[in-house]
Structures are given as structure tokens and as C-alpha cells.
Amino acid sequence: MISVILVNPKYSGNVGSIARVMMNFDFENLRIVGNRNIINDEAYMMAVHAKEILDNASFYESFDDAIKDLDFVIATSGARGGDRNLKRVPITPKELSDKILNIKGNIGIVFGREDDGLRNEEIDKCDLLVSIPTSKKYPIMNLSHAVAVILYEIYTKKVENKFLDIKMREASKEDKELLIKKFNEFIDKNKKIPEHKKELCKIIFKRLVNRAFISGKEAWTLMSAFK
């Protein structure tokens, strides 16, 4: 289970927007370090149809309380690390999405304050640091936008994995060769295609088949049509 953790958020609108983003990408667990009054009418207005996430949010007095029952904690930061600051060498959201679904147990993704983010001592208590690549002209993102980017990457990876689980068998070499043979026969027998274009049609179709990574079922469906 993955929880989104907000540390001392300042703006109710951001909290509401984050609830909406969480609902968009199928996340349910919101933890907030700080004042309960941050969830107010403005937050509910921004949440739109994700009000239940605000209703079920958990509140904590301290950062330590918010993460003490988690097995793996991920910090987010706009700051760039380097060789001189090994504790703050981040990975990208894309790299995080590749890793996070293999992590067992309860996971928390921590987002810092709108004005100054997470403090060094808070980052030190986390297992991993993630930073979103942004333009040097304006590197600092709105809090809700940053949450959206990271949750989107994780959700996309989930969808990809589900697709791979149900993906149809890829067409074999024999399937493709037979499909191309049937297409060529179709071209040869088609009197409406000029003779000088037939060879080009065959070449183009072969390239398309080899480039498309079609499934066996798709190959046999096309063969039936050409027959």
C-alpha cells in the first residue's frame, strides 16, 4: 500500500487538488503532518469528486509519527544533489516507478512544505530521494503539480504491467510468413492494382508486419480477410 504524506502544507487549495490527483491515479491513502484545519471548504471545493480522500485523511503531530509504521519511505525534493552531497542524490519519477512496484510492505511518498520543502533531517529519515527534472528557468513546481507527476508515473507503470499480463501471444515467424504469403497472393490476383505497383505493395506490407509486433490472433484474422 502506498500513502501520500504531506508535511505541514500551507494552502487548503493544494490539499484539495492533491486529493483530486490521487483519485485520478487510483491512490487512496492521504497522511497529513500538521493542522487539521487545512481541510476546509476550499479544500473540498478543489477536491471535486475526491472528497472521500479528504474525509479519510489521517493526521499526525510530527513527521516521525507519520512514517513510523511504514516499511519504506520516499522523500521528494526540487533540490539537486551531487557528489558533494551523497544524501541528496535523487532518482527521477520514471526511475521510481520502475522500482516502487517491487517494494514489499507499506510505502510512503513524502512531499514537503510549499515554501521550503523537506528539511535535511526529514530527508535523512527517508530511504530514497526523488526529484522531478524541471527547467532551470523556473525549477520549483507547485506542490499539487509535483504530486501529479509522480503519481502519474507510478500509475502508468501499473497499467503497463497489467497490459503485459493479459497481452496476446506475439505472432510467430511462421505466422508472419504465412500472412505475408496470403497478402502477396491477394495482390497478385487483384486486377485493379497496376503490375508495376504490386512489388512495392508487397515490400511495404512486409515491412509493416515486421515493425508492428502483431499478435498471432491479429495475424490469423488478417489472413482470413485476404483469403
Side-chain angles (χ1 to χ4, degrees):
M1 183 174 67
I2 300 175
S3 297
V4 172
I5 304 173
L6 307 180
V7 179
N8 302 124
K10 294 179 64 177
Y11 304 113
S12 297
N14 269 338
V15 176
S17 296
I18 288 167
R20 182 174 181 174
V21 163
M22 290 174 64
M23 184 72 78
N24 287 149
F25 299 122
D26 206 18
F27 290 82
E28 299 177 352
N29 303 292
L30 176 62
R31 300 185 178 197
I32 299 175
V33 179
N35 194 337
R36 291 176 178 268
N37 293 333
I38 197 71
I39 294 183
N40 54 23
D41 289 344
E42 182 184 2
Y44 279 108
M45 180 182 70
M46 296 302 293
V48 193
H49 298 297
K51 294 178 176 63
E52 65 185 76
I53 290 179
L54 298 181
D55 290 338
N56 297 326
S58 301
F59 284 85
Y60 299 85
E61 294 294 326
S62 69
F63 178 71
D64 288 346
D65 287 340
I67 66 170
K68 67 181 180 182
D69 64 329
L70 299 177
D71 301 296
F72 199 86
V73 184
I74 300 158
T76 62
S77 174
R80 296 292 186 268
D83 292 337
R84 294 182 181 180
N85 192 353
L86 294 178
K87 292 180 180 179
R88 302 201 70 168
V89 177
I91 64 173
T92 65
K94 180 69 170 62
E95 291 172 310
L96 173 66
S97 71
D98 291 335
K99 301 174 185 295
I100 195 169
L101 298 181
N102 294 321
I103 299 173
K104 305 300 182 183
N106 293 322
I107 303 167
I109 306 176
V110 185
F111 297 87
R113 304 155 187 85
E114 286 97 334
D115 50 2
D116 58 359
L118 293 173
R119 296 173 182 139
N120 287 334
E121 58 268 23
E122 293 164 341
I123 292 176
D124 290 344
K125 293 174 182 177
C126 297
D127 302 294
L128 195 64
L129 178 63
V130 178
S131 184
I132 300 170
T134 51
S135 170
K136 291 181 180 179
K137 294 178 181 178
Y138 196 7
I140 305 303
M141 295 184 70
N142 174 275
L143 176 60
S144 64
H145 296 174
V147 175
V149 169
I150 290 176
L151 298 191
Y152 165 78
E153 289 288 356
I154 296 170
Y155 182 76
T156 300
K157 180 57 66 173
K158 284 183 181 179
V159 172
E160 287 177 357
N161 287 352
K162 287 180 181 178
F163 174 75
L164 289 174
D165 288 341
I166 63 173
K167 188 177 180 181
M168 294 180 287
R169 175 186 66 84
E170 186 175 325
S172 66
K173 180 180 179 181
E174 290 76 17
D175 290 335
K176 290 186 283 189
E177 287 177 347
L178 187 54
L179 170 59
I180 292 167
K181 179 183 176 183
K182 292 299 178 185
F183 177 81
N184 291 348
E185 291 174 357
F186 167 77
I187 292 295
D188 288 336
K189 293 178 181 179
N190 194 318
K191 297 180 181 180
K192 292 184 179 181
I193 301 174
E195 287 297 322
H196 68 280
K197 288 188 176 180
K198 288 186 175 181
E199 192 61 32
L200 181 60
C201 287
K202 293 176 183 178
I203 293 171
I204 291 174
F205 184 76
K206 182 177 180 179
R207 288 176 181 171
L208 285 173
V209 169
N210 289 327
R211 204 163 58 208
F213 299 101
I214 62 174
S215 70
K217 187 173 183 179
E218 289 168 331
W220 281 94
T221 300
L222 288 174
M223 276 186 251
S224 298
F226 292 133
K227 285 178 183 179

